[in-house]
Amino acid sequence: MESSVWRYIDELARRVKRILLVFIISLLIFLAFPAPNPFDIKGSSVLFYDTLIFWLIRVMQATYLPAGAKIFVTSITSPLFSVIQMALYLALAVTIPYAFKEIYAFISPALYKHEKKVIRKYLLPFAILYLVGAVYTAIIILPLTFRALIFLYEPLNIELLINLNDFINIVVLIVILGGVLFSLPTIILPLIEAGVLKVRTLSKNRILIYLIVAFIAGLISPDPTFLSVIPLLIPVYLLYEGTIIIG
């Protein structure tokens, strides 16, 4: 018994090491990976070429901020930490699917056949809905969010200064939020199939669930007017209703 426990611990440790290795390699690759036009450098670069991280941050600025907006930092090391932070987010995006694969491989011997079938059934739909939600949020929700945040600056003749670290966090967190909310059906449906949730319960408590989802979205979104959150909630609520019908 004791030897089998240590065998499981040893296997878990090996899988965790592999996950960490993938994360570290992904982080280093993203820090050094070149931009689409790596030698079209504006200004100086210690690497002698333009990196993907620099390019992504510039694209985010050009896409979501109005002309004349200025990015500032609070310390001389802030740009370095912001670049590392962006690389960390991208490395996590690559590592999380691999981590799920390793976790599934570790627990699969303890799962029943029908439990494995349910997990495999919803893996692809989860990935598709998450990507759709992330893209929808990046294209539709984020521009609305920044417009709502800065709509008073021009009428009041206020210069727009945005902290680089805050800007990156807003973009990344809202995109993650959109992906998670869109993928809710692939979390709820397996629970219905497993008998943990009842369709009647979901239908009866839909108003409460709507309010909880709206509260979480409003808590993460920096928009104090809540107007930019509404276009995100509408498709999420429609997906929830579709989940009740399918379930």
Side-chain angles (χ1 to χ4, degrees):
M1 178 67 179
E2 186 177 346
S3 62
S4 65
V5 170
W6 281 110
R7 191 168 65 251
Y8 285 128
I9 292 173
D10 183 57
E11 184 186 352
L12 179 61
R14 286 201 310 270
R15 294 189 183 280
V16 169
K17 284 179 185 176
R18 285 201 287 264
I19 292 168
L20 288 174
L21 184 62
V22 169
F23 175 75
I24 292 168
I25 292 172
S26 300
L27 176 63
L28 294 175
I29 289 173
F30 278 121
L31 283 171
F33 200 80
N37 297 305
F39 300 108
D40 185 19
I41 307 172
K42 294 180 180 179
S44 61
S45 174
V46 70
L47 297 174
F48 307 106
Y49 66 91
D50 195 17
T51 68
L52 178 67
I53 301 294
F54 299 160
W55 179 79
L56 279 175
I57 293 174
R58 291 199 305 270
V59 168
M60 286 160 51
Q61 292 175 16
T63 303
Y64 301 124
L65 299 181
K70 294 182 179 179
I71 298 287
F72 76 94
V73 294
T74 55
S75 70
I76 197 169
T77 57
S78 290
L80 173 63
F81 287 121
S82 294
V83 168
I84 294 172
Q85 177 188 19
M86 192 73 185
L88 283 169
Y89 284 138
L90 292 172
L92 276 174
V94 170
T95 307
I96 287 173
Y98 179 78
F100 277 129
K101 173 184 170 294
E102 288 290 341
I103 292 168
Y104 176 73
F106 179 72
I107 65 171
S108 61
L111 297 175
Y112 291 109
K113 188 176 180 180
H114 71 277
E115 291 173 334
K116 292 180 185 179
K117 187 178 178 182
V118 168
I119 292 173
R120 290 170 184 165
K121 179 181 175 181
Y122 289 104
L123 276 177
L124 183 60
F126 174 85
I128 292 171
L129 283 175
Y130 187 92
L131 286 173
V132 170
V135 170
Y136 175 80
T137 305
I139 295 174
I140 305 297
I141 305 303
L142 275 172
L144 292 175
T145 300
F146 281 104
R147 279 184 204 164
L149 287 171
I150 64 178
F151 77 100
L152 285 177
Y153 278 74
E154 189 174 345
L156 295 175
N157 198 27
I158 300 172
E159 186 175 11
L160 180 58
L161 302 173
I162 299 175
N163 183 281
L164 177 60
N165 185 59
D166 292 343
F167 175 67
I168 291 173
N169 281 332
I170 288 173
V171 172
V172 172
L173 288 176
I174 293 180
V175 168
I176 291 173
L177 171 67
V180 170
L181 290 179
F182 267 64
S183 60
L184 280 178
T186 59
I187 298 171
I188 296 171
L189 285 171
L191 295 175
I192 293 173
E193 288 190 20
V196 177
L197 282 176
K198 304 276 186 196
V199 174
R200 192 188 321 155
T201 305
L202 295 172
S203 180
K204 184 180 177 182
N205 296 289
R206 56 161 50 93
I207 300 300
L208 177 62
I209 293 170
Y210 284 177
L211 291 174
I212 291 171
V213 170
F215 175 76
I216 294 171
L219 204 62
I220 294 175
S221 173
D223 179 9
T225 67
F226 203 76
L227 293 175
S228 63
V229 179
I230 295 172
L232 175 60
L233 294 179
I234 291 172
V236 171
Y237 290 163
L238 291 174
L239 284 169
Y240 181 81
E241 292 298 328
T243 303
I244 292 175
I245 294 168
I246 294 170

